[in-house]
Amino acid sequence: MDIGLVGKPNVGKSTFFAAATLASVQIADYPFTTIEANRGVSYVRTSCPCTELKVTCTPRHGRCEGGTRFVPVELVDVAGLVPGAHSGRGRGNEFLDDLRQAAALIHVVDASGRTDSEGNQIGSPSHDPLADVAFLQEEIDLWVAGLLGRGWDRTARAIESAGGGTDERVIAKAIAERVTGLGITELMVRHALKECNLPPRPTSWDQKALHPLASALRRRSKPLLVAANKADLATEEQLRALAAGVGGTPLVRVSAATELALRRGDRQGVLHYRPGERSFSLAPAANLSGAQEQGIAAIDKTLRRLGSTGVQEALEKATFELLGLVPAFPVEDETKLTDKEGRVLPDCHLLPPGSTAKDLAYKVHTDLGDHFIRALNVRTRRVVGADYAVARGDVLKIVSSA
Ligand SMILES: Nc1nc2c(ncn2[C@@H]2O[C@H](COP(=O)(O)OP(=O)(O)OP(=O)(O)O)[C@@H](O)[C@H]2O)c(=O)[nH]1
Ligand SMILES: [Mg+2]
């Protein structure tokens, strides 16, 4: 499951990606720098039970720093999207195909208004980023509508000849099958159909009728937040107008360039910075050049103004709020909190909301799920059944007959 970084060209998607993954990718101040999608691993923070349960953990993936667990999430940085992309403009459909597996989207916008709708630099801060927010969602809707519409007549006739012309379940199943590669479930389709209130016979739905359905499916299957990037260059008025204009869409103020400088500085040993924190400190032996000193002063100013660079916050909002993922820690030995190899609190799984103890068992191993007997909630020492709804931060020992 990926988090997708989307937006028009030249807004800072690759800068965000590089900051979040520390991978080296191409970054430049002109459109279509990125052609092939970049994929990488970043980390979201969650509280690790190690402190409370008084153990020293040894994570298999990611790391733990002072009781904060950094849990891996996959990130994909795609080519810039321009108006008309759904019909092949710019990098067009290929770009959109890179987003098929994305479970949530971070829409990176240039909040400073210094790039036009195609990502070209403009002399003055005169472009309204709200226009970008609207067109991007519309482009994705048109792409999904296009996928639904292709060969729709045949699907609609098949639904009706199977006697399902008005049966929402039959319609939902047929639609979900058409768009399985997009991560759209039957339940999402049923909810979307209810929302759109389309006329009863699917054979009467033309491209125009499918558009609101595509939009409803996109909102459910790829929830989105706006990363108001280049916030270091944007004025307070610009940031406020953008936040007010996006309505109910969550928004985070971001300076990806600042985050990238901080993480690289930390890696080079010039400064100490922990992702997501509000401040940094200079390494005692740092011998800075004049240019570096200026850079540090600019970073400091941005952090003071924005609170944090927003990169970590955007990733965590996407993970825990848009997707509602629930971190859970399976263990094999409930006393030592270890797995078979003796690693302490080895894994933190991010489960979809509503997941059960049995779902967690399946995440660990198919056999464990198939032969699930019960689970033990290590904190409360209570035995729970297969249907137990896993809560954030649960430590569970799974008992199976496997
Ligand atoms: N001031 C400022 N500049 C930034 C920020 N993030 C990115 N930039 C600059 O914006 C330009 C474009 O950055 P990229 O990361 O290549 O943008 P992109 O969205 O990946 O562009 P394409 O791959 O062409 O779609 C570069 O010059 C970056 O240094 C930021 O937070 N603040
Ligand atoms: Mg790029």
Side-chain angles (χ1 to χ4, degrees), residues 9-15 28-29 32-34 229-230 232 255-257:
N10 213 4
V11 289
K13 299 179 295 300
S14 297
T15 308
D29 61 354
F32 296 116
T33 303
T34 306
N229 193 36
K230 307 194 188 181
D232 51 299
S255 175

Side-chain angles (χ1 to χ4, degrees), residues 143-229:
W143 169 59
V144 177
L147 295 175
L148 273 182
R150 212 172 299 151
W152 175 254
D153 288 350
R154 194 144 38 96
T155 305
R157 279 198 304 272
I159 294 170
E160 291 186 16
S161 64
T166 51
D167 185 336
E168 216 161 65
R169 280 177 187 265
V170 177
I171 300 173
K173 188 161 184 283
I175 292 177
E177 275 168 14
R178 287 184 61 88
V179 288
T180 38
L182 294 183
I184 294 173
T185 63
E186 235 174 277
L187 189 66
M188 288 177 191
V189 183
R190 284 219 299 277
H191 286 149
L193 283 168
K194 270 211 183 68
E195 180 189 321
C196 296
N197 204 15
L198 293 172
R201 310 211 73 84
T203 43
S204 71
W205 303 351
D206 55 9
Q207 201 60 41
K208 210 167 133 222
L210 290 174
H211 186 262
L213 181 62
S215 180
L217 288 173
R218 189 261 306 160
R219 276 180 271 119
R220 286 191 163 73
S221 62
K222 305 202 184 299
L224 168 149
L225 67 81
V226 170
N229 193 36

